[in-house]
Amino acid sequence: MARPTTADAGPGGYAILVRLRNNGVYVALALLVLFNLFFTTNFATAGTILGLLSQATFVLLVALGLTLVIGTGGIDLSVGAIMAIASAVVPLYLGYSWPVAVIVALIFCVLAGMLNGFLVAYVGMQPIVATLALFVGGRGFAQVLVNGQLQTISDPGFLALWRATVFGVPMPVVVAAVAALLVGLLARQTTFGRYVLAVGGNRTASYLSGHPVRVVLLAVYAISGLLAGLAGILATARLAAGDPATIGLLIELDAIAAVVIGGTPLSGGRMNVGGTVAGAILMLVISATFVMNNINPIYAQILKAAIIVLAVYIQQGRRGS
Amino acid sequence: MSEQDNILEVRGVTKGFPGVLALDDVSFGLGTGEVHALVGENGAGKSTLIKIVTGVHRPDEGEIFFAGERVSFSSPREAQEAGISTIYQDTNLISLRSVAQNIFLGREPRNRFGLTDKARMKREAEELLGRYGIEADVTVPVRSLGVGVQQMVAVAKAVSLDARVVIMDEPTSSLEAREVETLFGVIRQLREDGVGVLYVSHRLEELYEICERVIVMRDGKVVHTGDLEELPRLELIATMLGREAPEIEERTTSSARENATGELVLEARGLTTHHAPRDVSIEVHAGEVVGLSGLLGSGRTETAKAMFGARHLDSGSVSVDGEEVDPGSPAQAIKSGLAFVPEDRKAEGIIPELSVRENIVAAALPRLSRAGFVSKKEQDELVERFMDRLGIKASGPDQPAGELSGGNQQKVMLARWLCLEPKVLLLDEPTQGIDVGAKAEVQRLISELAQDGLGVVMIDSEPEEIVEGSDRVVVLRDGGVAGMLSGEELTEQNLVRMIAGSESSEPQNNEEDADG
């Protein structure tokens, strides 16, 4: 309606509903954590909680990159495969010292992301198709790199990436927190973040406003590759082995779910980085709740599915006329 | 007219949305074989009314009678099955399916094997279109047809569903003059068949041509119903706006700023791209409004886009203030001082999910960037200044731009460019699909901008508006320049003649290549 709307003129319940829609993921997470604090033995310990957060870092890092990609209206299915590439490359270069191995692995992952971005931005392929190619081929490529073998790692410097702590906080949690802050800053405060939203909201309008649409697309897929690479490196350090066959397997599903539950619609033009963080943690806490209470984790899958459907349903309400 | 004759009757309908009373005790009746105009500014409640009648929304209060019975549709499909069809601005046809398939979607004629009888479907579709004088190959995908023909197919489909009421929402907004005539033929046929037509349009001339009665809405209320003949155009506008008639007549004409033109700001030479334009040259001086005219498909939009770097140039060049613009991207054109307001606001202009603030500064982002971060202070100053200057009505800069009315969206588009202080403004149909009040405002604004020394290129498919608003008009035909009109030659009659291609009275000109 054209007339200036006074949101508070309607029934008070409406404003609450809107607030609930925008912050549903936080409410759900808070409720689930409260439930666990009261009913799950051993949940309310620093060890459990830090352990859970460490576990959540893989999905979280990948989901952060996906938030940017989905913000442009795209999708990146190849994140799990990119994690596998990182895991395959690290042991190959550990001989030169672990920082070299990490950097080379990250370069591989950024290049993989740029390949996605190139196919989307310059060739004009649909993101789901473009990234499907790497989703299928990337893991195969990674396994070829190491001849399908598990490469055990004993370099203490590299293994410290998972095991070290900073003021008692596990290293992966620190890495993920820094990444979340940077992506949040990128999305909310920078010109680049505006470009991402404009491209996702209306690509033609963005182009006609002089935005560097192709560069932006290339960049978001590259960033997604970088963050997936980071997740792959942490997963490799945790396992103390390069294992491209299993690392990052099916992670894209949990990560996409985390993004959507967090309030970033798949249609693009909107990003909620804080929601993604909460969404990634929520996905893990759901699984943990079932495991720690000795309930078959199969049920956790069903609950996750229900939450995804609910999240999308609530978002649609926001779009209604 | 007695109530028994009314095929559709709306009584005391009220509908509220959170924070807004969209319809306030609305009543009217539509008789069989009548064509009613439904007019009002954007936001007056027309769309809501249509949505209530067609079962998209439910009324909070009030009743709807259809064919004498009280009805309460719960979905557009139910309304359609009962006999109320709606033709929206963007037709709801499936673009990859053929015309015939679209017409018979969900009720395909079957042969004895229970399969679709394609021959019969084709024959019946051809008969149907033929009856309304619509020329189209029914076997080709709808997408390959012009927008106008698509619209006709949508109308034909509606009619073939045995509609007794047809609601048309801005049916002519994307039609050419010739197509409008065909559409009117269809409407006349509908009238003879006893169908009631509710016709929504911003184009007032059309209403007088095709409608008998009028319903005027303002702020969710019906403020006038009656015979259209008894309500002269000026009074109709006044009723819509809720003002006195004389207020509206005031308008800056092009003569007011004659002699105000200054130095050459835009020089496009020999623009040629794939398909159109072909060898088009245009010059614009500071303070001048140059109209770009021609039929739909004559290459108007393509020419504007080529100047703006949004189409790949095969040959030709564009200079602003004597300096050649790097071709190939809008970003370069913007840097040189060009600005472009596209025709299709929804598809190419507004970023609906983003706020008014973010939409206004979209093109200014490079300038607001400090080491990659958006300067909030400068941004907010710009936004405040231009929302104020253009009178953009929104609940605030945070409101998503997609929620604004067409007129306010257009002002947001203008603000997006004006905050860059461009040298040349390219406007593609700047007043299309916005209400009368906003239209006058936008026209006045364009005039003011030219007076301030901006060069303006304006595309407008309404000859009246282009003659009134421009100092000079370049006419395109089939992608090339057909001629130019200025000064006393610039009359609606001459323009229409030149657009149509009657060479007889074409004035000579020395500036443009006239071999279109």
Side-chain angles (χ1 to χ4, degrees):
Chain A
M1 280 292 112
R3 274 167 287 169
T5 50
T6 43
D8 52 355
Y14 182 74
I16 295 170
L17 196 70
V18 167
R19 190 156 295 180
L20 207 62
R21 266 178 199 164
N22 294 333
N23 299 300
V25 64
Y26 303 110
V27 175
L29 182 58
L31 288 177
L32 193 60
V33 168
L34 269 179
F35 170 85
N36 280 304
L37 288 178
F38 285 109
F39 296 104
T40 306
T41 39
N42 293 331
F43 186 85
T45 65
T48 307
I49 287 172
L50 288 174
L52 279 176
L53 287 176
S54 302
Q55 304 278 336
T57 51
F58 311 128
V59 170
L60 176 53
L61 284 169
V62 166
L64 285 171
L66 268 168
T67 304
L68 293 172
V69 171
I70 291 174
T72 65
I75 192 88
D76 187 351
L77 295 182
S78 70
V79 283
I82 292 180
M83 283 177 72
I85 292 175
S87 187
V89 171
V90 164
L92 295 180
Y93 290 88
L94 269 179
Y96 296 96
S97 86
W98 70 267
V100 172
V102 167
I103 289 168
V104 172
L106 289 180
I107 290 173
F108 265 86
C109 295
V110 169
L111 287 176
M114 286 174 78
L115 176 67
N116 287 330
F118 176 78
L119 292 176
V120 172
Y122 292 87
V123 182
M125 284 170 79
Q126 284 178 353
I128 197 164
V129 179
T131 59
L132 189 63
L134 201 56
F135 169 80
V136 175
R139 193 173 293 278
F141 168 74
Q143 284 176 285
V144 169
L145 279 183
V146 294
N147 294 321
Q149 305 276 310
L150 187 94
Q151 310 279 315
T152 51
I153 295 169
S154 55
D155 186 313
F158 181 77
L159 295 181
L161 287 176
W162 179 264
R163 288 167 197 175
T165 57
V166 180
F167 299 113
V169 181
M171 189 60 107
V173 177
V174 174
V175 170
V178 170
L181 277 176
L182 289 178
V183 172
L185 206 63
L186 197 66
R188 293 184 72 107
Q189 306 288 332
T190 66
T191 320
F192 179 78
R194 291 285 183 88
Y195 288 154
V196 169
L197 291 177
V199 169
N202 185 340
R203 189 163 162 180
T204 313
S206 172
Y207 173 68
L208 289 176
S209 298
H211 298 172
V213 175
R214 288 174 166 178
V215 176
V216 169
L217 286 172
L218 193 68
V220 292
Y221 286 94
I223 293 171
S224 178
L226 175 71
L227 290 169
L230 217 47
I233 285 166
L234 290 175
T236 307
R238 174 183 173 220
L239 199 64
D243 182 14
T246 61
I247 276 179
L249 202 60
L250 296 184
I251 197 170
E252 54 282 335
L253 300 183
D254 265 0
I256 292 170
V259 174
V260 172
I261 292 169
T264 300
L266 286 176
S267 48
R270 196 197 287 262
M271 288 188 284
N272 188 341
V273 176
T276 296
V277 174
I281 296 173
L282 180 65
M283 296 307 280
L284 195 86
V285 176
I286 291 171
S287 304
T289 305
F290 282 77
V291 172
M292 292 177 77
N293 288 295
N294 292 320
I295 307 167
N296 192 332
I298 296 166
Y299 295 109
Q301 301 287 353
I302 297 172
L303 183 61
K304 283 182 189 174
I307 289 179
I308 293 168
V309 172
L310 189 69
V312 173
Y313 173 75
I314 290 174
Q315 282 173 20
Q316 277 176 337
R318 177 160 52 192
R319 294 170 158 266
S321 76
Chain B
M1 167 144 313
S2 72
E3 288 194 0
Q4 280 71 31
D5 287 345
N6 281 348
I7 181 75
L8 179 70
E9 178 118 4
V10 169
R11 285 190 206 153
V13 164
T14 296
K15 173 76 182 174
F17 294 107
V20 190
L21 190 59
L23 291 180
D24 187 0
D25 194 18
V26 166
S27 302
F28 75 90
L30 175 66
T32 53
E34 279 190 330
V35 183
H36 276 214
L38 175 60
V39 296
E41 291 203 274
N42 288 333
K46 292 170 299 184
S47 308
T48 311
L49 181 58
I50 293 175
K51 284 183 177 159
I52 288 209
V53 171
T54 56
V56 178
H57 295 317
R58 302 266 193 130
D60 297 340
E61 283 169 42
E63 300 173 318
I64 297 164
F65 291 85
F66 177 65
E69 280 177 36
R70 186 164 176 218
V71 289
S72 171
F73 301 123
S74 59
S75 73
R77 193 185 168 87
E78 256 185 56
Q80 197 176 63
E81 278 167 1
I84 300 182
S85 278
T86 316
I87 319 291
Y88 289 102
Q89 271 162 313
D90 26 9
T91 62
N92 32 5
L93 299 173
I94 303 166
S95 62
L96 290 171
R97 294 288 201 94
S98 77
V99 172
Q101 279 169 332
N102 266 287
I103 290 175
F104 290 102
L105 190 69
R107 53 193 179 99
E108 290 85 355
R110 304 278 171 187
N111 61 19
R112 61 201 154 101
F113 303 112
L115 300 170
T116 306
D117 186 343
K118 285 194 180 154
R120 195 173 131 210
M121 193 160 89
K122 176 170 180 284
R123 199 175 57 240
E124 288 182 7
E126 277 167 352
E127 274 170 22
L128 179 70
L129 295 189
R131 180 151 164 254
Y132 291 100
I134 304 161
E135 286 171 32
D137 181 350
V138 300
T139 60
V140 300
V142 161
R143 152 174 104 154
S144 65
L145 302 175
V147 188
V149 184
Q150 289 188 21
Q151 199 113 40
M152 303 293 175
V153 171
V155 175
K157 179 182 174 181
V159 179
S160 72
L161 289 165
D162 293 324
R164 300 181 64 190
V165 168
V166 173
I167 299 171
M168 300 191 181
D169 190 0
E170 292 279 350
T172 58
S173 59
S174 47
L175 300 193
E176 285 178 33
R178 190 167 38 83
E179 293 172 328
V180 172
E181 273 316 306
T182 315
L183 179 70
F184 285 177
V186 173
I187 293 175
R188 289 189 188 102
Q189 182 67 46
L190 291 176
R191 185 158 57 195
E192 270 172 41
D193 296 347
V195 175
V197 177
L198 196 58
Y199 189 91
V200 183
S201 180
H202 283 124
R203 297 189 179 175
L204 301 182
E205 319 82 90
E206 288 174 11
L207 303 182
Y208 284 96
E209 194 176 335
I210 197 74
C211 303
E212 295 115 38
R213 289 175 65 81
V214 63
I215 304 158
V216 185
M217 293 190 70
R218 192 173 70 231
D219 295 335
K221 295 190 181 74
V222 170
V223 291
H224 178 92
T225 54
D227 286 342
L228 193 53
E229 275 182 6
E230 290 163 15
L231 192 68
R233 193 166 154 155
L234 207 58
E235 267 178 53
L236 172 61
I237 297 173
T239 315
M240 281 166 65
L241 300 180
R243 295 183 208 158
E244 294 296 313
E247 282 180 49
I248 297 147
E249 255 177 320
E250 155 196 1
R251 193 156 171 191
T252 323
T253 59
S254 55
S255 59
R257 51 161 197 280
E258 220 164 296
N259 303 328
T261 56
E263 287 172 25
L264 193 63
V265 283
L266 174 76
E267 190 178 11
R269 257 180 316 227
L271 297 180
T272 304
T273 74
H274 176 66
H275 178 58
R278 284 185 297 107
D279 199 20
V280 169
S281 299
I282 291 171
E283 289 184 354
V284 183
H285 298 82
E288 190 182 31
V289 179
V290 175
L292 197 55
S293 193
L295 290 175
L296 210 71
S298 61
R300 303 171 309 191
T301 297
E302 291 81 356
T303 302
K305 283 193 172 171
M307 289 195 277
F308 192 61
R311 279 177 78 86
H312 175 76
L313 277 184
D314 289 333
S315 66
S317 68
V318 178
S319 303
V320 174
D321 265 357
E323 279 185 41
E324 198 161 310
V325 181
D326 260 352
S329 86
Q332 288 299 333
I334 293 165
K335 260 186 214 154
S336 309
L338 282 164
F340 173 57
V341 176
E343 173 183 14
D344 193 337
R345 222 167 17 243
K346 279 207 182 92
E348 306 192 322
I350 285 295
I351 307 165
E353 299 250 299
L354 295 192
S355 64
V356 169
R357 175 191 297 117
E358 287 165 331
N359 267 284
I360 289 178
V361 300
L365 282 173
R367 287 168 207 216
L368 295 174
S369 171
R370 300 284 172 270
F373 286 81
V374 180
S375 164
K376 294 267 153 65
K377 192 166 153 262
E378 282 178 65
Q379 162 184 281
D380 292 346
E381 276 171 16
L382 269 188
V383 170
E384 203 189 316
R385 179 143 55 91
F386 281 90
M387 281 186 75
D388 195 47
R389 177 167 164 205
L390 302 187
I392 295 170
K393 285 189 199 116
S395 63
D398 288 320
Q399 190 177 10
E403 290 178 4
L404 301 188
S405 67
N408 278 303
Q409 288 187 355
Q410 190 67 305
K411 288 184 194 169
V412 167
M413 285 304 299
L414 285 166
R416 177 183 293 173
W417 295 114
L418 295 180
C419 72
L420 296 179
E421 292 166 357
K423 296 183 180 113
V424 181
L425 202 49
L426 310 172
L427 304 170
D428 194 354
E429 300 280 5
T431 60
Q432 192 178 65
I434 65 180
D435 60 68
V436 180
K439 199 169 187 167
E441 272 181 83
V442 167
Q443 281 163 340
R444 194 167 51 236
L445 185 73
I446 294 169
S447 207
E448 280 172 17
L449 289 168
Q451 258 159 2
D452 292 348
L454 210 69
V456 179
V457 175
M458 181 171 76
I459 298 172
D460 200 317
S461 41
E462 299 200 23
E464 185 194 331
E465 285 182 8
I466 209 153
V467 165
E468 216 167 304
S470 326
D471 300 298
R472 221 155 36 92
V473 177
V474 174
V475 179
L476 299 180
R477 202 187 306 139
D478 300 329
V481 174
M484 199 190 75
L485 294 166
S486 63
E488 295 192 347
E489 294 163 357
L490 183 51
T491 64
E492 236 179 290
Q493 213 178 6
N494 282 347
L495 180 63
V496 171
R497 205 172 289 150
M498 191 179 279
I499 289 173
S502 345
E503 306 285 333
S504 56
S505 72
E506 187 168 315
Q508 282 303 303
N509 64 78
N510 38 25
E511 190 183 339
E512 312 290 347
D513 181 1
D515 71 352

